[in-house]
Amino acid sequence: MDIIETVFVRNNLVVAFAVVGVVMWVSYFLADKLTAGRIHGSAIAIALGLLAAYWGGTVSGGSRGVADVTLLGGIGLMGGGMMRDFAIVATAFGVHISELKKAGIAGVISIFAGVIVSFVVGASVAVMFGYTDPTAITTIGAGAVTYIVGPVTGEAIGASDAVITLSVAAGLVKSILVMIGTPLIAKRIGLDNPQSAMVFGGLMGTTSGVAAGLAATDPKLVPYGAMTATFYTGLGCLLGPSVLYFIVSAMF
Amino acid sequence: MIVYGVALLSVCLVLGMLFGEVLGVVLNVEANVGGVGIAMLFLVFASNSDKFKALTEGVSGTGIKFWSAMYIPIVVAMAARQNVAAATEGGLLALSAGVAAVIVSFALVPVLSNIGKGDSPAPDTSEEQEAG
């Protein structure tokens, strides 16, 4: 047992490649045999990943899903921010400038609309649950933007730890729902071309959610959605503790 | 050389991240503002330009295509390291806020996708009412 652990831990990234490879194979097999290709193999793989993350988090009590399980620590590196961003940027290879220009304005508008709409929705839910303190309302609203904007805003305006934790949870729910929901809803919202993908990325904004959601829908759309989504968190961090907080303070 | 493509990709990412970080400092925000998006723009320009042909065509290009193809497996690993347990422990408030934000945002995709296509200002006003 010790020997296995030593080898697995020492080569954790390589172990991760092998494990993810097996998960991909199983997922594509299931997609093909059970759903006759109706559900994308990558959608199944992502869902399995989330299930594994839930299991990992419950077993280890950590915050990094399956990556907190000793033998699978390499998943943390493989699925971490650095590798994710590296692979996202690589998907831009071969994208035509003309496609980006076509959706340019709609893309920019969607980023602003996305941050504001998610904030308003999150803040309204907080009010409905009985919060009257502008700091708490703003922080929970910011959490509905993304799980990064929530704590950044909360810490800047002095929200309590409990409220910040709630805002992170709201952001996580959003991110996970985008991962799972996007392939299911894609057709109905016209998500099948570069322009709508850019708008989608700007509106949803959660980089992880958009990255996984589009991968499970149509990998060709990934670069367009990812490009706008990466500006979203920055804008949220800019507006959350400033303009949006001032507006909420004036109202409550 | 395959590493030329990988190196180009890496340089794009690092430069983009630096820009994003500087943008964050300029705007006084505790976050990297669009670093990945800026890096993607660099790569788009490089792959559409003749000057970088030596780094983007033939074997060099496969160095970038490999990482592009690794995207989905990396996203699966990313899904597996999300804090799903915390999301389920957030209770009804977190669940409602997250779900509602996603539903409203989904609904806005077809509305905003029409901007620029018919250049009608109509979607603009409905979006602002939503925001107010």
Side-chain angles (χ1 to χ4, degrees):
Chain A
M1 200 56 208
D2 256 4
I3 295 178
I4 294 177
E5 197 170 311
T6 311
V7 172
F8 272 55
V9 169
R10 204 181 287 156
N11 302 289
N12 59 10
L13 181 59
V14 179
V15 172
F17 286 143
V19 170
V20 173
V22 171
V23 171
M24 296 298 293
W25 184 84
V26 170
S27 304
Y28 276 83
F29 180 82
L30 290 176
D32 201 34
K33 298 286 169 202
L34 285 188
T35 75
R38 252 172 300 149
I39 298 177
H40 210 290
S42 43
I44 296 178
I46 289 162
L48 287 178
L50 290 171
L51 278 179
Y54 178 73
W55 168 79
T58 330
V59 169
S60 70
S63 64
R64 298 186 311 140
V66 93
D68 284 322
V69 176
T70 315
L71 294 183
L72 295 170
I75 299 278
L77 184 52
M78 181 175 172
M82 181 168 65
M83 297 289 269
R84 184 198 64 193
D85 293 344
F86 197 55
I88 287 181
V89 174
T91 63
F93 188 56
V95 163
H96 292 289
I97 296 173
S98 57
E99 294 284 4
L100 295 181
K101 277 190 186 152
K102 251 192 268 175
I105 296 170
V108 172
I109 293 173
S110 70
I111 302 171
F112 280 88
V115 169
I116 293 169
V117 165
S118 286
F119 179 84
V120 170
V121 170
S124 308
V125 170
V127 173
M128 272 185 258
F129 273 78
Y131 281 91
T132 50
D133 166 29
T135 311
I137 295 170
T138 306
T139 305
I140 293 168
V145 177
T146 71
Y147 58 79
I148 296 171
V149 179
V152 166
T153 302
E155 274 158 36
I157 62 178
S160 70
D161 282 347
V163 167
I164 291 177
T165 309
L166 265 184
S167 78
V168 173
L172 284 170
V173 169
K174 178 182 179 186
S175 173
I176 291 164
L177 194 61
V178 173
M179 289 186 201
I180 299 171
T182 304
L184 304 176
I185 198 98
K187 247 190 214 144
R188 217 174 297 168
I189 58 175
L191 185 58
D192 57 5
N193 59 75
Q195 282 90 308
S196 59
M198 279 181 81
V199 168
F200 171 81
L203 278 171
M204 297 301 156
T206 147
T207 312
S208 320
V210 169
L214 287 178
T217 307
D218 180 357
K220 279 197 289 294
L221 300 177
V222 167
Y224 303 100
M227 183 147 342
T228 43
T230 58
F231 286 92
Y232 182 96
T233 291
L235 184 69
C237 293
L238 181 64
L239 297 181
S242 56
V243 184
L244 296 173
Y245 177 53
F246 300 146
I247 293 174
V248 173
S249 302
M251 286 169 71
F252 291 91
Chain B
M1 284 260 275
I2 205 162
V3 75
Y4 293 164
V6 180
L8 173 70
L9 173 59
S10 310
V11 169
C12 287
L13 178 59
V14 173
L15 278 182
M17 284 299 190
L18 284 173
F19 268 86
E21 211 65 36
V22 169
L23 210 53
V25 173
V26 170
L27 294 171
N28 202 12
V29 177
E30 278 179 65
N32 187 301
V33 181
V36 174
I38 297 166
M40 292 172 90
L41 285 178
F42 285 148
L43 189 64
V44 170
F45 287 129
S47 61
N48 281 287
S49 145
D50 287 337
K51 282 183 192 154
F52 290 92
K53 256 190 179 157
L55 301 178
T56 57
E57 288 196 342
V59 184
S60 301
T62 58
I64 305 174
K65 282 182 196 145
F66 172 80
W67 285 106
S68 176
M70 280 300 284
Y71 172 75
I72 289 177
I74 285 174
V75 162
V76 171
M78 176 198 78
R81 56 157 290 174
Q82 298 292 310
N83 198 354
V84 182
T88 61
E89 284 158 12
L92 204 56
L93 169 60
L95 190 69
S96 315
V99 171
V102 173
I103 291 175
V104 175
S105 303
F106 272 153
L108 278 177
V109 172
V111 179
L112 289 184
S113 295
N114 283 326
I115 298 179
K117 271 188 198 155
D119 31 60
S120 66
D124 236 344
T125 51
S126 70
E127 170 255 305
E128 265 168 30
Q129 279 165 8
E130 198 81 56

